[in-house]
């Protein structure tokens, strides 16, 4: 099964990003949509999308339902569409999640989320979040009380120059909203001419923080404790390294496609029925009415073409792990700095796995009730 993504089938898809639209009520300084005009919010989901969602929902009758992630912009600006999808498709059709900045969360929305079993992820990067996002929603007591009422929730964090200490983030989140899972997004990608302070990393401190996570990761793993700063921070890297080493042991080539596995694990669909190579930018590869084979071919072409424009990645020592970061993101002076931060992350992840293997430990996924 290690090589299933080399020649994937439509059955490999596990998650749909439903791209509701780019409108947002914040102007986060690191967001790729900062320069997007505010679009109209009164939108209608195309009939082709309803047909596609119905076909995908059939999977829930035979096994684990696909995840359906409501994506923006800010999804709560499109609340009517979220309600329409959930009520029309049914609670059991998908494992629904909303990725949100939290500002528009209200008591009635919390009630709906809980009544229909939706998951809710709020973006927060720690105590200095407002410097980057303009608002730190976890500093709002009223929001925190609403958020804690949600039965299935997590905090999503981005690593940038103001968020290089996983332990400080962990402590801050626990203080504000209690024992909530933390999902680390990727290290900041310099997708446009960003303000330089966003990627002005203190590399020595960042490396020291990652090393602290490495020193604690195996003990946390052996104890079955998923709820630690080390586990949240390094999980992505550690599991990717394990996968890479297993492929080497099996004599398989390195995976060339992005780590996010577009059209292999995830599919990105907007409400007009267009399929995108990435849910974070306009990158249309076809429509939901196209065959999976056609979409995969178009997807892989757009990424291969982008990779060919980043030859500097080929000589990078972690390229086999990060796989060009986001290949659609061109190299720039700012991105080169972000890449240095990502190298530190991958090197510490690699050391974590190799240290564990010297002691006979191999990391495998653990559920939250693991012992």
């Amino acid at each position: 099964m290690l090589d299933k993504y080399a020649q994937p089938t439509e059955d490999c898809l596990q998650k749909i990003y439903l791209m509701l639209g780019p409108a947002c009520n914040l102007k986060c300084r690191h967001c790729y949509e900062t320069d997007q005009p505010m679009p109209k919010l009164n939108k209608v989901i195309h009939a082709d999308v309803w047909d596609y969602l119905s076909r995908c929902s059939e999977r829930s009758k035979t096994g684990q339902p696909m995840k359906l992630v409501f994506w923006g912009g800010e999804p709560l600006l499109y609340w009517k569409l979220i309600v329409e999808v959930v009520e029309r498709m049914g609670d059991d059709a998908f494992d629904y999640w909303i990725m949100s900045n939290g500002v528009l969360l209200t008591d009635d929305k919390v009630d709906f989320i809980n009544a229909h079993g939706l998951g809710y992820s709020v973006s927060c990067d720690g105590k200095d979040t407002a410097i980057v996002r303009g608002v730190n929603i976890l500093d709002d007591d009223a929001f925190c009380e609403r958020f804690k009422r949600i039965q299935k929730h997590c905090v999503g964090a981005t690593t940038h120059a103001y968020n290089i200490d996983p332990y400080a983030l962990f402590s801050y989140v626990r203080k504000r909203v209690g024992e909530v899972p933390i999902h680390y997004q990727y290290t900041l990608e310099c997708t446009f001419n960003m303000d330089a302070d966003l990627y002005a990393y203190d590399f020595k401190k960042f490396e020291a923080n990652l090393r602290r996570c490495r020193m604690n990761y195996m003990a946390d793993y052996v104890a079955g404790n998923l709820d630690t700063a080390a586990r949240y921070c390094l999980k992505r890297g550690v599991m990717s390294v394990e996968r890479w080493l297993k492929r080497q042991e099996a004599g398989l080539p390195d995976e060339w496609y992005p780590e996010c596995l577009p059209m292999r694990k995830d599919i990105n669909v907007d409400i007009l029925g267009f399929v995108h190579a990435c849910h974070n930018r306009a990158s249309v590869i076809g429509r939901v009415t196209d065959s999976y084979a056609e979409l995969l071919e178009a997807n892989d072409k757009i990424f291969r073409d982008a990779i060919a424009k980043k030859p500097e990645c080929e000589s990078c020592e972690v390229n086999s792990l990060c796989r060009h970061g986001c290949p659609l993101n061109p190299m720039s002076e700012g991105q080169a700095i972000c890449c240095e931060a990502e190298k530190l992350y991958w090197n510490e992840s690699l050391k974590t796995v190799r240290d564990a293997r010297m002691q006979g430990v191999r990391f495998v996924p653990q559920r939250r009730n693991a012992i």
Side-chain angles (χ1 to χ4, degrees):
M1 296 300 291
L2 276 175
D3 212 26
K4 67 178 180 179
Y5 297 131
Q7 295 182 317
T9 65
E10 192 168 22
D11 289 339
C12 291
L13 295 175
Q14 301 175 26
K15 182 188 299 182
I16 303 168
Y17 283 96
L18 187 58
M19 303 162 65
L20 302 177
C24 190
N25 53 323
L26 297 184
K27 290 293 182 182
C28 300
R29 292 198 293 143
H30 64 314
C31 181
Y32 68 99
E33 288 178 346
T34 298
D35 57 353
Q36 291 280 346
M38 181 66 79
K40 293 181 179 179
L41 299 177
N42 186 19
K43 297 201 172 188
V44 176
I45 297 176
H46 195 281
D48 289 344
V49 178
W50 288 118
D51 289 343
Y52 181 75
L53 293 179
S54 295
R55 182 157 61 89
C56 291
S57 70
E58 290 298 313
R59 294 180 58 178
S60 65
K61 297 178 181 179
T62 58
Q64 186 73 19
M66 295 179 72
K67 290 183 182 293
L68 192 153
V69 179
F70 294 108
W71 195 263
E74 169 49 44
L76 295 190
L77 284 170
Y78 302 92
W79 180 249
K80 290 182 179 179
L81 292 183
I82 294 175
V83 172
E84 183 181 11
V85 170
V86 174
E87 292 185 341
R88 180 165 172 173
M89 299 307 302
D91 295 355
D92 298 328
F94 298 99
D95 178 13
Y96 298 102
W97 277 87
I98 300 172
M99 312 299 285
S100 172
N101 61 41
V103 174
L104 300 176
L105 186 69
T106 54
D107 289 334
D108 61 315
K109 291 182 175 66
V110 171
D111 291 340
F112 181 90
I113 288 168
N114 285 337
H116 294 275
L118 277 64
Y120 184 86
S121 176
V122 66
S123 299
C124 182
D125 308 328
K127 65 181 182 62
D128 293 325
T129 295
I131 299 174
V132 178
R133 301 182 182 269
V135 173
N136 185 350
I137 196 64
L138 291 197
D139 281 344
D140 183 332
D141 292 341
F143 169 82
C144 290
E145 290 307 310
R146 291 191 187 98
F147 181 71
K148 286 188 287 187
R149 284 181 49 217
I150 297 176
Q151 295 164 6
K152 188 167 70 173
H153 56 188
C154 71
V155 171
T158 298
T159 300
H160 45 65
Y162 293 100
N163 181 27
I164 62 171
D165 187 345
Y167 286 87
L169 172 65
F170 182 87
S171 176
Y172 173 78
V173 170
R174 287 296 174 274
K175 179 180 179 181
R176 297 302 299 160
V177 291
E179 295 184 5
V180 176
I182 301 173
H183 176 66
Y184 270 84
Q185 311 293 339
Y186 299 100
T187 307
L188 179 70
E189 291 270 355
C190 193
T191 54
F192 58 95
N193 188 24
M194 293 179 176
D195 297 330
D197 65 303
L198 297 176
Y199 50 83
Y201 288 92
D202 185 329
F203 287 119
K204 289 186 177 180
K205 286 186 178 179
F206 187 39
E207 185 174 22
N209 292 333
L210 291 173
R211 186 182 305 117
R212 181 183 178 188
C213 289
R214 170 165 62 90
M215 300 303 292
N216 291 324
Y217 192 95
M218 189 170 72
D220 293 341
Y221 174 86
V222 172
N225 190 355
L226 284 75
D227 191 45
T228 71
R231 293 298 302 273
Y232 288 132
C233 177
L234 290 182
K235 175 184 175 182
R236 164 200 162 216
V238 164
M239 298 314 299
S240 293
V241 170
E242 283 282 9
R243 177 180 175 84
W244 175 64
L245 290 175
K246 287 178 182 177
R247 291 183 65 84
Q248 287 191 323
E249 293 164 357
L252 297 172
D254 289 342
E255 296 166 302
W256 66 268
Y257 33 83
E259 186 189 354
C260 57
L261 299 173
M263 288 308 302
R264 286 167 166 78
K265 190 174 182 181
D266 301 349
I267 185 169
N268 312 297
V269 178
D270 68 30
I271 62 173
L272 297 178
F274 293 103
V275 179
H276 297 249
C278 176
H279 52 271
N280 282 333
R281 65 188 76 211
S283 51
V284 174
I285 58 174
R287 289 191 59 80
V288 290
T289 50
D290 296 334
S291 70
Y292 176 77
E294 291 173 318
L295 292 170
L296 179 66
E297 182 179 5
N299 176 83
D300 286 2
K301 183 180 187 305
I302 199 173
F303 280 109
R304 287 189 184 277
D305 289 348
I307 287 171
K309 296 176 182 178
K310 298 177 73 174
E312 55 271 82
C313 291
E314 298 303 327
S315 60
C316 176
E317 67 270 22
V318 301
N319 188 50
S320 57
L321 295 171
C322 87
R323 303 183 221 164
H324 304 83
C326 176
L328 301 181
N329 181 35
M331 189 60 69
S332 63
E333 182 178 351
Q335 181 55 40
I337 297 173
C338 293
C339 285
E340 291 302 313
E342 186 76 345
K343 287 179 188 178
L344 292 176
Y345 179 86
W346 284 111
N347 282 323
E348 289 302 318
S349 298
L350 185 59
K351 290 175 183 176
T352 302
V353 174
R354 287 179 170 165
D355 289 349
R357 289 196 171 198
M358 290 179 64
Q359 299 182 56
V361 175
R362 296 198 176 197
F363 299 116
V364 298
Q366 290 180 319
R367 297 186 181 276
R368 295 194 64 79
N369 61 353
I371 299 176

